[in-house]
Amino acid sequence: MATFSQRLEDERKKRGLTQRGLALELKVPVSEVVFYELGDKKPDVDTLNKLADLFNVSIDYLLCRSNQRQDPNLHVKEVLSKDPVLHEFWEEISRREDLQLLFKQTRNLDAESIYKVIEIIKTIEDEERIRYGG
């Protein structure tokens, strides 16, 4: 099983960066990168976000919580990012187990269809909250 330190080193090398080069990108001392790759230290949340952006991978992938390099819902999030209400609603309901199959299907749709599907789900959820007082 991969570890954070191994994933970090692999991603750094894929980008053709030295430890010093990565440290410059992250604006941290070289010793920090060395400690990360040795497994002696874990980066803070801001540094994890920078690493994920730099390597174009998800934080879950870096932390070995997933073998999927990208967030599978990234496309959906990008489509909905223009509508804060639907984006927030997506974030809220995307963790629901009863809707996981739907989300798996939705991520393969074009932008207009994704928007429509999430709008419909939100309308149904809103109506149920009103009907059942939730």
Side-chain angles (χ1 to χ4, degrees):
M1 174 118 185
T3 64
F4 167 75
S5 57
Q6 291 168 327
R7 286 248 164 107
L8 177 63
E9 184 177 359
D10 290 347
E11 292 300 318
R12 174 181 61 77
K13 288 178 178 177
K14 282 180 193 171
R15 291 272 293 179
L17 289 169
T18 62
Q19 288 177 330
R20 181 178 304 284
L22 180 56
L24 288 170
E25 291 277 346
L26 298 174
K27 297 179 176 64
V28 299
V30 178
S31 60
E32 288 289 303
V33 173
V34 172
F35 288 141
Y36 299 156
E37 289 188 7
L38 289 173
D40 293 341
K41 189 173 184 181
K42 297 270 194 244
D44 61 24
V45 174
D46 290 336
T47 304
L48 272 174
N49 280 315
K50 288 178 188 176
L51 287 166
D53 290 344
L54 177 66
F55 298 139
N56 196 28
V57 297
S58 69
I59 291 175
D60 281 343
Y61 176 78
L62 283 175
L63 295 176
C64 303
R65 293 173 21 181
S66 169
N67 287 325
Q68 197 163 10
R69 293 177 57 80
Q70 283 289 343
D71 178 350
N73 296 318
L74 186 60
H75 176 61
V76 175
K77 291 177 183 179
E78 287 172 352
V79 168
L80 298 176
S81 67
K82 296 173 185 87
D83 185 327
V85 173
L86 284 184
H87 186 265
E88 183 178 335
F89 177 70
W90 168 262
E91 291 294 330
E92 174 189 328
I93 65 170
S94 65
R95 293 181 284 278
R96 286 182 39 190
E97 280 189 45
D98 60 330
L99 298 175
Q100 292 305 309
L101 182 59
L102 173 66
F103 298 141
K104 188 174 184 178
Q105 300 304 316
T106 303
R107 63 178 82 118
N108 298 321
L109 299 175
D110 62 79
E112 185 178 338
S113 297
I114 289 171
Y115 195 84
K116 285 179 183 177
V117 167
I118 301 305
E119 251 184 340
I120 291 167
I121 295 169
K122 182 167 182 356
T123 301
I124 292 168
E125 289 284 318
D126 289 347
E127 287 175 1
E128 284 192 8
R129 284 182 186 137
I130 291 169
R131 183 177 306 137
Y132 299 110

